[in-house]
Amino acid sequence: MSENNIDQSIDIEKSSDQFSKPLSGKKLSWHKLRRNDSLEIESRKFPGHQIHGSKAFSWSVILHLAFQSIGIVYGDIGTSPLYVYSSTFTDGIGHNDDILGVLALILYTITLIPLVKYVLIVLRANDNGDGGTFALYSLVCRYAKVGLIPSQQAEDREVSNFQLELPSKSMKRATKLKSKLENSKFAKFFLLFATMLGTSMVIGDGVLTPCISVMSAVGGIKQATTKMTDNMIVWISVVILICLFMVQRFGTDKVGYAFAPIICVWFAMIGGIGVYNFFKYDPAVIKALNPKYIVDYFKRNKDKAWISLGGIVLAITGTEALFADVGHFTVRSIQISMCTVTYPALLCAYTGQAAFLRKHNDLVSETFYKSIPDPLYWPMFAVAVMASIIASQAMISGTFSIIQQSLSLGCFPRVKIVHTSTKYEGQVYIPEINYLLMIACVAVTLGFRSTTNIGNAYGIAVVFVMTLTSAFLVLIMLMIWKTNILLVIAYVLTIGVVELVYLSSVLYKFDQGGYLPLAFAAVLMTVMFVWNDVYRRKYYYELENKFSPDKLKEIAAETNFSRLPGLAMFYSELVQGIPPIFKHYVANVPALHSVLVFVSIKSLPIGKVPVEERFLFRKVEPMELNVFRCVARYGYTDVRNENEPFERMLIEKLTEFIRDDYCLRQAILSKGETVNDQELDDGQVDENRNTMQEDLEDVDNQLDMIDKAWRAGVVHLIGENDVVAGKGSNIAKRILIDYAYNFLKRNLRQSEKVFDIPQKRMLKVGMTYEL
């Protein structure tokens, strides 16, 4: 239910002027007539509110989405056959049966992690269709109050996308766990830390995927000519990477329809060649389905087998994209495309390569291209390069999306978000991040010059994110899904243990390139921690120094304050009360606009807030000042820019709020209505009619005032806040605030550029916060 609308059960009949005609003779009780006013002191629940579930799609739509998902979701995991065997057998094949052991590990890993864990379990943990680390964190935040900023409002739960099924009273385990999380400051910080770590690792993945995919594909040209050196392959890869990043500003929508057919051709070719190699070289590799070969592999190779897991895990790179990209499709469409196309094609590809290696142990470093029949070499090379570019594109787009989500939690410095598609709102482009990614990719390619070392780094980023996803998933199973504890234990002992074993293996290669994603994560988390910490300190400062209502009444009584024609919007992130920016403004400018709106920009732990539920309003006493408070609510995938006419929408919703507020009072005071189940006598009816007439005049005056103010012009007042460490602060706090935060702030965009506020109608109010 929208905050500006009356409960749908109320049938209010309006005349042409919207106000003069009273309600029909229905008897309505008070609890039905109360408006869902976001900024009232008391919050009230509204029975009968419907949660908007996922849409029911026809099979034709689901199959169409399944086809499209092949091009967007599976580019990364689909190109893994380019380098898995070469990354696993870095020192060559010691025993022919080692191939069977590695194939068995690959087959069971692909089945257990992408298929069972992600397709059958994790996709269920989507947040109203959105996926990824932030979706999991938002589910936990909505269920338990674990946010570090006290901006939660009970009315937030009335947003149609917000509500969750709460545990029954009989589920004491879920309630007890929720209570522990809400009462533990350490738990709150740890959850935010884990979310930041997962975000940083995914961004690191966005750097490494283009490097290893493009270099592996381009490296195949060595099979066609001996003149092609490793140095030339590196520089060709660099050129392709630079071109890839330079076209990002045009958006993926323009080439999106070409993605699915190319990846479908890729899967058909690797699957078909795999079947061909299986029958041509060694059909006996089917024995790898027997787990005994895994045991034998570890017995023969001991610690070397454990170390080789770092190469095997590359077979499931890009699996997180299954979950992260679910918002662009549906759960069912991704399940269909995975089970019918991706999974069978990958099994055939790896099995065929294993059959080839059983007869050609010495060609393991060039397994992929050597196993291709000669007539198909050039077509396969062309498709491989295109597939690697598509895989890179998917991770780059995913990086843009996750940084957009980070902004909503105050965990990332301000950057400009650009929509690149009018059809697909999830497709965004971030100029600063794009060029930083390009520089990082080029540096990694020139620095490592080998897919083996890049693979070592790649594995750590992949497994870290998977392990964090499992940790969040266990929390959701226990608290929200109320899963049987035996099933949770089974999940931890199978999938959880497997992921921890892989994590231990990839960490062993720390000094062989594995340090790279950890270094990326350390830098990114430092930036995110600095920004988020000061962001929270600023919020608490505004909360402690907010403008008191009594002071506002004093201003209304003063005669030296003049009123200017026009409407002024004061921007802040403070939800409770009037921000200190206003105190600073009135202390220096003895004039106020005819209408004032204090706009609080608030992020909710959900993917999207429906536009019709965006704004919450409240009148601020005294009424003659024409002052209103407004909370503009956004989800972590919502973009705040010129594509949404913020200014016009706010004015329209404000007028709706005033009209609805009058209609509610009119309904309550009309003759024949009941208040607390008591019939009104004739004297009370006459008094109510007089009150209604006075209210109507006040509403007409307010609407007329807002219309005149709107026509006179809107002024946007932005706080240009300088933050400094307070007196007596220790050295660590001074470094954090005075140097680290202010360095980031000076070198990044200001708030008016992020919100696209018109420069000609913007006024900055300078103020210093001592934190």
Side-chain angles (χ1 to χ4, degrees):
M1 173 178 145
S2 172
E3 68 285 349
N4 300 325
N5 297 326
I6 303 171
D7 190 283
Q8 293 178 357
S9 63
I10 302 175
D11 181 20
I12 294 181
E13 298 178 8
K14 297 180 183 178
S15 64
S16 59
D17 65 2
Q18 298 177 311
F19 299 112
S20 59
K21 186 177 179 179
L23 295 175
S24 59
K26 293 183 180 180
K27 292 191 175 184
L28 303 173
S29 60
W30 168 252
H31 78 274
K32 278 191 175 183
L33 290 169
R34 290 307 303 263
R35 182 182 62 255
N36 183 5
D37 190 340
S38 57
L39 300 176
E40 292 290 348
I41 297 176
E42 300 89 2
S43 170
R44 295 163 181 86
K45 298 297 181 185
F46 287 77
H49 180 79
Q50 298 296 319
I51 300 174
H52 300 293
S54 58
K55 294 182 179 179
F57 292 97
S58 66
W59 274 105
S60 61
V61 173
I62 290 175
L63 293 176
H64 181 69
L65 289 173
F67 173 73
Q68 287 187 323
S69 71
I70 293 172
I72 301 298
V73 176
Y74 303 111
D76 196 358
I77 192 173
T79 53
S80 294
L82 283 166
Y83 45 77
V84 168
Y85 280 110
S86 60
S87 297
T88 302
F89 294 110
T90 54
D91 298 325
I93 299 172
H95 191 285
N96 210 29
D97 280 353
D98 287 351
I99 299 169
L100 297 178
V102 169
L103 175 60
L105 283 166
I106 291 172
L107 298 182
Y108 283 110
T109 300
I110 291 177
T111 302
L112 191 62
I113 306 297
L115 189 64
V116 175
K117 175 187 171 181
Y118 279 90
V119 173
L120 300 182
I121 302 176
V122 175
L123 285 181
R124 289 184 55 219
N126 67 85
D127 178 21
N128 292 303
D130 290 304
T133 307
F134 272 92
L136 298 174
Y137 181 68
S138 72
L139 287 176
V140 175
C141 284
R142 295 218 304 280
Y143 178 73
K145 296 178 181 179
V146 295
L148 292 171
I149 292 180
S151 63
Q152 296 90 352
Q153 295 170 287
E155 301 84 2
D156 295 338
R157 294 187 175 275
E158 299 302 324
V159 176
S160 54
N161 293 341
F162 196 100
Q163 294 191 3
L164 290 171
E165 178 190 356
L166 299 180
S168 62
K169 292 182 180 179
S170 61
M171 298 300 294
K172 295 182 179 179
R173 184 185 69 239
T175 306
K176 188 175 181 180
L177 182 57
K178 174 188 174 184
S179 177
K180 285 186 176 181
L181 285 177
E182 290 180 341
N183 295 324
S184 171
K185 195 168 184 180
F186 172 79
K188 295 178 181 180
F189 273 104
F190 183 78
L191 285 172
L192 183 60
F193 170 82
T195 304
M196 288 182 178
L197 180 59
T199 301
S200 302
M201 286 295 180
V202 171
I203 295 172
D205 205 355
V207 173
L208 297 172
T209 296
C211 300
I212 192 169
S213 298
V214 172
M215 280 191 70
S216 298
V218 174
I221 203 171
K222 288 196 297 184
Q223 309 302 317
T225 172
T226 56
K227 295 181 180 179
M228 185 62 63
T229 64
D230 290 339
N231 193 52
M232 294 172 66
I233 289 173
V234 168
W235 283 106
I236 292 173
S237 300
V238 167
V239 171
I240 292 176
L241 289 171
I242 292 174
C243 293
L244 176 63
F245 283 101
M246 293 304 291
V247 300
Q248 289 300 308
R249 62 192 181 93
F250 298 111
T252 58
D253 183 38
K254 296 178 176 59
V255 292
Y257 280 103
F259 283 9
I262 292 172
I263 298 297
C264 279
V265 171
W266 168 257
F267 280 132
M269 293 185 75
I270 63 173
I273 292 172
V275 172
Y276 169 80
N277 287 336
F278 172 76
F279 286 107
K280 178 180 179 180
Y281 293 107
D282 188 7
V285 293
I286 196 69
K287 294 185 296 184
L289 291 175
N290 187 345
K292 169 184 175 294
Y293 289 96
I294 297 177
V295 177
D296 292 342
Y297 177 64
F298 277 94
K299 282 182 178 179
R300 273 193 306 272
N301 297 280
K302 298 180 174 59
D303 60 329
K304 290 184 178 180
W306 170 68
I307 294 171
S308 71
L309 292 176
I312 294 170
V313 78
L314 298 181
I316 54 174
T317 57
T319 301
E320 192 69 22
L322 283 172
F323 186 40
D325 290 334
V326 69
H328 299 291
F329 308 100
T330 64
V331 171
R332 184 57 57 85
S333 64
I334 290 181
Q335 289 174 333
I336 290 173
S337 58
M338 178 65 180
C339 295
T340 60
V341 178
T342 307
Y343 181 68
L346 290 174
L347 295 190
C348 292
Y350 288 116
T351 304
Q353 288 184 12
F356 172 80
L357 287 175
R358 291 272 285 178
K359 304 299 183 182
H360 304 90
N361 286 186
D362 57 317
L363 299 179
V364 67
S365 63
E366 300 168 334
T367 304
F368 182 80
Y369 282 107
K370 288 293 186 181
S371 65
I372 298 173
D374 290 340
L376 294 178
Y377 171 78
W378 283 111
M380 196 65 189
F381 174 77
V383 175
V385 172
M386 288 189 287
S388 67
I389 292 174
I390 291 171
S392 305
Q393 177 63 62
M395 289 309 301
I396 294 168
S397 300
T399 300
F400 292 155
S401 297
I402 203 166
I403 288 176
Q404 174 193 348
Q405 296 170 11
S406 302
L407 283 168
S408 68
L409 287 180
C411 292
F412 205 85
R414 298 187 186 106
V415 289
K416 185 174 184 180
I417 307 289
V418 179
H419 265 298
T420 60
S421 172
T422 56
K423 292 189 292 183
Y424 305 107
E425 58 186 11
Q427 294 184 1
V428 295
Y429 166 68
I430 305 176
E432 298 98 327
I433 301 302
N434 182 63
Y435 293 115
L436 288 174
L437 284 176
M438 182 181 71
I439 293 170
C441 281
V442 171
V444 168
T445 304
L446 293 176
F448 281 75
R449 311 180 75 86
S450 164
T451 57
T452 301
N453 288 335
I454 297 176
N456 294 338
Y458 199 19
I460 288 183
V462 170
V463 183
F464 247 112
V465 176
M466 289 181 181
T467 307
L468 286 171
T469 297
S470 285
F472 272 112
L473 190 62
V474 168
L475 200 57
I476 289 170
M477 284 178 175
L478 292 171
M479 273 202 321
I480 301 174
W481 292 353
K482 305 176 287 291
T483 306
N484 186 293
I485 190 65
L486 295 178
L487 294 177
V488 176
I489 293 173
Y491 177 90
V492 172
L493 293 179
T494 53
I495 293 174
V497 168
V498 168
E499 289 177 339
L500 289 175
V501 171
Y502 275 118
L503 183 61
S504 67
S505 175
V506 295
L507 286 174
Y508 178 80
K509 298 183 178 180
F510 178 84
D511 61 338
Q512 302 171 39
Y515 59 84
L516 190 63
L518 297 179
F520 279 145
V523 172
L524 287 168
M525 288 190 67
T526 300
V527 170
M528 295 170 79
F529 170 78
V530 167
W531 194 266
N532 180 260
D533 184 80
V534 179
Y535 173 84
R536 284 186 281 110
R537 292 175 188 268
K538 285 171 59 181
Y539 190 93
Y540 279 104
Y541 178 90
E542 291 188 346
L543 192 61
E544 293 168 1
N545 294 274
K546 61 185 179 183
F547 198 79
S548 68
D550 292 336
K551 183 65 177 176
L552 192 62
K553 291 178 182 179
E554 292 178 14
I555 291 176
E558 291 182 12
T559 57
N560 61 334
F561 262 91
S562 59
R563 301 305 294 266
L564 305 174
L567 188 149
M569 294 185 186
F570 288 82
Y571 288 85
S572 167
E573 290 178 338
L574 184 68
V575 173
Q576 301 94 343
I578 298 173
I581 178 183
F582 183 68
K583 181 195 301 184
H584 192 68
Y585 177 79
V586 297
N588 293 276
V589 182
L592 295 174
H593 290 77
S594 54
V595 178
L596 303 178
V597 181
F598 295 99
V599 182
S600 300
I601 306 297
K602 178 179 180 180
S603 294
L604 296 184
I606 55 177
K608 291 189 177 299
V609 175
V611 174
E612 63 273 13
E613 301 178 27
R614 174 84 67 222
F615 299 101
L616 303 173
F617 292 94
R618 182 187 176 187
K619 295 177 182 176
V620 178
E621 299 287 348
M623 293 301 198
E624 59 269 19
L625 269 184
N626 291 315
V627 178
F628 301 88
R629 282 170 52 203
C630 167
V631 175
R633 303 179 296 183
Y634 292 85
Y636 55 78
T637 62
D638 284 324
V639 176
R640 316 161 197 174
N641 60 15
E642 73 278 1
N643 294 319
E644 184 179 283
F646 179 87
E647 187 179 285
R648 181 176 295 277
M649 283 178 56
L650 188 147
I651 300 301
E652 290 175 355
K653 292 297 182 181
L654 176 58
T655 57
E656 284 181 23
F657 165 79
I658 294 171
R659 290 167 181 162
D660 289 346
D661 185 65
Y662 168 75
C663 291
L664 285 168
R665 292 198 302 272
Q666 183 190 39
I668 296 166
L669 297 173
S670 291
K671 182 179 179 180
E673 305 302 319
T674 62
V675 178
N676 295 330
D677 300 324
Q678 298 291 324
E679 292 288 343
L680 302 177
D681 58 32
D682 291 339
Q684 289 174 312
V685 169
D686 291 337
E687 183 181 347
N688 287 349
R689 285 178 174 173
N690 293 333
T691 303
M692 289 167 56
Q693 186 61 35
E694 293 174 0
D695 286 347
L696 178 59
E697 292 175 0
D698 290 341
V699 169
D700 287 336
N701 290 336
Q702 277 190 330
L703 292 175
D704 184 59
M705 179 68 72
I706 291 173
D707 183 63
K708 288 180 179 178
W710 165 257
R711 295 177 185 279
V714 178
V715 176
H716 301 266
L717 292 106
I718 304 291
E720 186 67 12
N721 303 320
D722 288 328
V723 296
V724 296
K727 294 179 180 179
S729 299
N730 57 44
I731 186 66
K733 187 175 179 181
R734 289 184 180 278
I735 292 174
L736 174 73
I737 298 174
D738 295 346
Y739 298 99
Y741 176 80
N742 283 314
F743 172 79
L744 291 173
K745 186 183 177 192
R746 283 194 302 269
N747 289 280
L748 290 160
R749 294 175 184 267
Q750 301 302 310
S751 55
E752 76 275 4
K753 294 181 180 178
V754 177
F755 289 99
D756 291 304
I757 294 173
Q759 297 289 321
K760 293 181 179 178
R761 293 191 282 117
M762 180 192 66
L763 179 64
K764 291 185 178 182
V765 181
M767 192 172 177
T768 299
Y769 288 4
E770 287 192 14
L771 306 180

